[in-house]
Amino acid sequence: MSGLAWLEFEKVDLNRSERFAIDFGLTVHARTDDALYLRAARDGAPCVVIRQGSSSRFIGPVFHATEGQDLDRLARATGGTVEARHELGSGRVVRVSDPSGFPVTVVHGVEELPALPTQTPLTWNVGGRSRRVNATQRPPREPARVERLGHIVLGTRVFGRALDWYLEHLGLIVSDFLYLEGQRERGPVMAFIRCDRGSEPSDHHTLAMLLAPETGYVHSAYEVADLDALAAGGEYLRDRGYRHSWGIGRHIQGSQVFDYWRDPDRVMVEHYADGDVFDASLEPGWTPLSASGLRQWGPKPTRDFLGTTPSPALVRQALEALREDNEIDLARLTGLIKAMNR
């Protein structure tokens, strides 16, 4: 796989979704009566597809195959079928499901849109070097122009099975494992996974997965030019009354500067800049999972970001997970609760 192609969502109000997308820094490529196609500034296919529906939900991720024969291999391995794609251009597609039940689509040969103008990163004066002379810094308070879709994070009750599936069938490799303190011998509960491009560097993670009582979408991340674009874009979102979730800070795994927001349907999205890139030679790291270990600097993670705000739904999900045949048991659940409070 060469990366994520796009993400698909279902929303009730396409007009409201379009307003937020523009304020967040995406561009409308096309709009029909029942679908909204959003693009980033770099060349490529639209990176977000929002379909009209009766509720707000995440449909699934779409990955881009490096070669056409990757689709044939995936179809043979999973019992899927390679089909022609007719929506917004040409290409071929395979649709399968991962062990968590997420619909996963892999495409090849889709039409790529030409690049749009991007924001120019500001020139910084840093210790010992003054590259900017007789000029001030005045970043405009405007949407942080999204340059590309970076990654998605998913929660699952069958973490180990899902991880093995993505490594085997999509050829992804692990950048970092996170484990519960005192339970390393039981294996990881979170993994940051990147595309295997050999000697060509790839984003630290295209997909991240974590063991969680609730299977579902956690957040998706979109790259912007630099810290100033991210911060000024955040001020723009705040001025328009959108809900801030967490940030600004710098992560540890992936190293990116981050800022998290909620769209009007409470879907979490991230602006980020300055993320790590690894080639295939780097071995995975191992780190204990903790809330405090999610950032190098910045404010403490919020309950909203961590998903730990007490609610009847949260208790119900935990009890359901304990009753089902999955990888959540009392020790795992207790360890996850402790980690999110550490």
Side-chain angles (χ1 to χ4, degrees), residues 19-311:
R19 285 194 299 272
F20 174 80
I22 292 171
D23 289 341
F24 187 72
L26 292 163
T27 299
V28 176
H29 170 63
R31 170 99 185 247
T32 66
D33 290 340
D34 56 6
L36 176 63
Y37 302 87
L38 302 166
R39 64 161 299 174
R42 297 191 197 174
D43 55 357
C47 63
V48 176
V49 177
I50 301 176
R51 304 190 187 281
Q52 183 80 56
S54 58
S55 63
S56 175
R57 68 183 185 94
F58 175 61
I59 297 175
V62 181
F63 293 87
H64 190 272
T66 306
E67 299 177 355
Q69 60 189 5
D70 293 336
L71 297 185
D72 302 312
R73 283 195 291 265
L74 178 62
R76 286 194 300 269
T78 61
T81 304
V82 180
E83 304 171 353
R85 179 177 177 270
H86 302 292
E87 186 178 30
L88 286 187
S90 58
R92 297 194 305 154
V93 59
V94 174
R95 295 180 176 88
V96 295
S97 292
D98 75 4
S100 305
F102 287 114
V104 176
T105 304
V106 180
V107 298
H108 183 265
V110 297
E111 181 182 355
E112 292 200 348
L113 305 170
L116 298 174
T118 58
Q119 289 169 303
T120 302
L122 296 188
T123 301
W124 280 44
N125 288 339
V126 297
R129 287 186 299 162
S130 297
R131 297 188 297 164
R132 192 185 74 256
V133 178
N134 296 333
T136 59
Q137 299 280 44
R138 299 293 185 271
R141 187 172 294 196
E142 63 182 9
R145 202 162 307 159
V146 170
E147 296 194 5
R148 66 186 180 100
L149 168 64
H151 64 260
I152 184 169
V153 180
L154 302 174
T156 173
R157 296 176 179 175
V158 291
F159 170 82
R161 278 185 277 162
L163 174 62
D164 289 344
W165 188 91
Y166 281 97
L167 301 187
E168 176 184 356
H169 293 301
L170 299 194
L172 305 178
I173 56 178
V174 177
S175 298
D176 278 289
F177 288 116
L178 273 61
Y179 61 90
L180 295 177
E181 195 164 291
Q183 299 186 34
R184 179 167 177 172
E185 75 284 352
R186 296 192 61 183
V189 293
M190 187 170 187
F192 295 86
I193 312 162
R194 69 186 186 275
C195 296
D196 182 353
R197 297 180 180 171
S199 60
E200 180 185 350
S202 178
D203 286 347
H204 173 270
H205 54 287
T206 294
L207 169 67
M209 290 190 302
L210 69 153
L211 181 66
E214 182 182 13
T215 293
Y217 170 98
V218 178
H219 76 259
S220 52
Y222 305 81
E223 186 176 24
V224 299
D226 63 1
L227 172 60
D228 284 280
L230 179 146
E235 291 299 311
Y236 185 90
L237 289 169
R238 187 174 284 106
D239 289 346
R240 277 148 186 78
Y242 295 113
R243 179 172 177 176
H244 189 237
S245 181
W246 181 39
I248 299 171
R250 186 181 283 276
H251 280 305
I252 295 179
Q253 282 75 29
S255 299
Q256 68 267 32
V257 175
F258 63 82
D259 198 23
Y260 291 90
W261 293 85
R262 295 277 187 179
D263 80 356
D265 295 296
R266 291 192 45 78
V267 172
M268 189 187 297
V269 288
E270 174 192 3
H271 280 144
Y272 79 93
D274 191 32
D276 292 336
V277 292
F278 295 167
D279 64 25
S281 67
L282 207 67
E283 293 296 318
W286 283 81
T287 309
L289 174 66
S290 69
S292 61
L294 296 176
R295 90 252 194 239
Q296 301 182 51
W297 56 260
K300 291 176 59 177
T302 63
R303 286 187 177 272
D304 179 71
F305 173 81
L306 296 172
T308 57
T309 303
S311 69

